[in-house]
Amino acid sequence: MFAKTVIEAIDPQKNSITWNAIEGNLLDLYNSFVVITSSEHQWITYALVYEKKTEDTPEPLAILDYCIGVIKDVEGHLLKN
């Protein structure tokens, strides 16, 4: 999947960043796709907000799997230090 995103919002109080997909083949499957990340203490939360084009459109599990991989890579890097 390919998606070009823009940062839509940054909220320093909530340690939150919101990305909005504006281009890419991701939008062939979804009318809209937004990723919201926030952090609190040692927790990171990813929220995927999307609107499917059809009922047959699959859930974005590959993107969720990618997010989990990024989290594991960052965790591995931080635990080395």
Side-chain angles (χ1 to χ4, degrees):
M1 286 277 161
F2 164 77
K4 183 176 182 181
T5 61
V6 294
I7 294 176
E8 191 172 276
I10 298 174
D11 186 342
Q13 276 71 25
K14 294 182 181 179
N15 293 327
S16 167
I17 302 174
T18 302
W19 287 274
N20 188 14
I22 58 170
E23 287 182 24
N25 62 2
L26 180 68
L27 294 178
D28 292 343
L29 297 172
Y30 305 97
N31 289 325
S32 63
F33 203 95
V34 176
V35 177
I36 303 167
T37 61
S38 61
S39 64
E40 184 178 336
H41 304 289
Q42 297 179 1
W43 294 97
I44 295 176
T45 303
Y46 277 80
L48 307 179
V49 182
Y50 55 92
E51 180 184 345
K52 295 180 182 182
K53 287 199 176 192
T54 67
E55 282 292 318
D56 297 334
T57 301
E59 302 297 329
L61 297 179
I63 296 168
L64 186 59
D65 187 47
Y66 173 78
C67 293
I68 291 169
V70 169
I71 292 168
K72 286 181 179 182
D73 287 348
V74 170
E75 178 185 41
H77 174 74
L78 292 175
L79 291 177
K80 284 182 185 177
N81 296 329

